[in-house]
Amino acid sequence: MFLPEFDRDYLLEKEYVFEEKIDANRNGLIIRDWILPTGKYNLETSDLLILLPNGYPEVRPDMWYFNPAILLAPSNKLAKQTQVNINFEGKVWQRWSRHYPANEWRSGIDGIHTYLKKVQTALEIAT
């Protein structure tokens, strides 16, 4: 278990189904069945992976990943900056290359609760 207690408490309070996994010395938070914006994607849910860097929560996460990969509806095309995949725990994950500017991450304040808002906003505006 590598998540700080405040992150774990937040996820439990919101009733997310999540796992903390370590693969090749990478700490991965997997949130099962992340609900995608209605009608925007080819799927209703997908598992969400956030790799937490050494030094988290003082150091911000960078990018996130989905399995299975998600496509924009109705075109069934990849959203911009989602063409690269990674392997984690023997599965292929679609990388969402979105970056939190260093000066926007507030050490001691931000955590999974704020990062998930960034994920949700990016999903809503993706093209």
Side-chain angles (χ1 to χ4, degrees):
M1 305 276 256
F2 51 80
L3 277 178
E5 188 175 344
F6 70 90
D7 280 337
R8 195 173 298 110
D9 289 347
Y10 171 79
L11 293 166
L12 290 169
E13 175 187 313
K14 296 296 184 183
E15 298 182 347
Y16 287 111
V17 176
F18 68 95
E19 299 174 57
E20 297 171 66
K21 298 286 188 168
I22 300 173
D23 181 64
N25 293 319
R26 297 175 295 177
N27 292 337
L29 168 64
I30 299 173
I31 300 177
R32 300 291 177 193
D33 298 316
W34 179 263
I35 298 172
L36 300 167
T38 304
K40 177 98 179 175
Y41 296 95
N42 64 320
L43 301 171
E44 293 180 10
T45 66
S46 184
D47 290 346
L48 169 64
L49 168 65
I50 301 169
L51 295 178
L52 298 177
N54 292 334
Y56 175 84
E58 287 76 30
V59 177
R60 73 192 183 285
D62 190 44
M63 300 187 279
W64 56 85
Y65 309 84
F66 283 106
N67 176 279
I70 59 177
L71 302 172
L72 292 167
S75 66
N76 281 332
K77 292 186 178 180
L78 291 168
K80 291 178 185 174
Q81 299 174 292
T82 64
Q83 294 78 13
V84 175
N85 296 317
I86 66 160
N87 288 305
F88 188 85
E89 282 216 311
K91 293 182 181 178
V92 176
W93 295 81
Q94 175 193 37
R95 183 181 79 182
W96 279 64
S97 182
R98 307 294 191 273
H99 308 282
Y100 216 120
N103 61 349
E104 288 182 19
W105 185 260
R106 302 164 299 175
S107 180
I109 297 171
D110 288 320
I112 291 303
H113 64 289
T114 51
Y115 199 72
L116 291 178
K117 289 177 186 173
K118 180 177 178 55
V119 170
Q120 190 61 31
T121 299
L123 288 168
E124 290 168 0
I125 64 171
T127 59

